[in-house]
Amino acid sequence: MSTPFIRNHQYNVIKKQAEFLQRTLRTVADRSVLETVRFSAVRNIVEAFPMLTEEQKQMLGQIASFETAYDFQRYLGALEAYLEPFPPITVKQIEKLFPKNKKLKVPDLASIDFRDVTYLSWVDIATNKLFIVYPHEGRFIGIEGRLTPTNKKGYCLFCNRHQELAFFSVKTKSANASPDNFSMYGHYVCLENQGCNHSITDTGALERFLLSVGK
């Protein structure tokens, strides 16, 4: 039985390296350049993992030997068996993360392929609020904030892709202040969160943001 070890953002790294390697194979004839690109692709993939067994390294390193689009497609398809999904979560667990929101609208969890999820998010259109749930060190972090479309493109804080942006502002308690004193903290993120999950390759910026405002 396959033991999952590839998280969604790591799989996105592998897909991007596969795409780059395929483009290089189509446009470059110099064998030394191709070998350098193959080596770089393997290195970038391995560096996306904090720990790997020797068997896992060898499995991921197979990408350096492929020549055709079919080879890459088969490789990515085979790795799907090793995808580590977003940790199991229930509606009640989500509701506990947002105790002040008595009319919380939770998405249909059964319809979500959690293998493609780095962070769970949804927008309440009626209130223009974005909700994010993220697993960190054995617990879930839940934050909510106002989502304001900007009608312009730029780079998302979470996935760093050039996309239509919205400003995500979260109310936080001010440091060294009374419990009733709040401030706003925000950043520009993708307006379309599913695409963000399909593009994110590093959780560093996401985690820093969530931990700075999370519960």
Side-chain angles (χ1 to χ4, degrees), residues 28-90:
V28 176
D30 189 314
R31 300 306 299 179
S32 63
V33 173
L34 289 175
E35 288 308 309
T36 299
V37 174
R38 291 181 190 276
F39 174 80
S40 177
V42 174
R43 182 191 61 203
N44 290 338
I45 290 171
V46 170
E47 287 180 350
F49 293 81
M51 290 184 62
L52 286 171
T53 66
E54 198 58 40
E55 182 181 359
Q56 290 167 347
K57 283 184 181 179
Q58 291 179 3
M59 183 192 307
L60 297 175
Q62 292 174 3
I63 194 173
S65 64
F66 301 142
E67 297 286 345
T68 69
Y70 175 74
D71 292 335
F72 288 100
Q73 183 179 8
R74 185 175 58 178
Y75 168 76
L76 293 172
L79 290 182
E80 289 183 357
Y82 297 90
L83 291 178
E84 182 180 334
F86 189 90
I89 191 168
T90 65

Side-chain angles (χ1 to χ4, degrees), residues 138-156:
R139 69 185 182 95
F140 288 108
I141 299 172
I143 66 169
E144 64 179 282
R146 190 161 300 281
L147 196 67
T148 306
T150 63
N151 298 314
K152 66 178 182 180
K153 288 188 175 182
Y155 288 94
C156 169

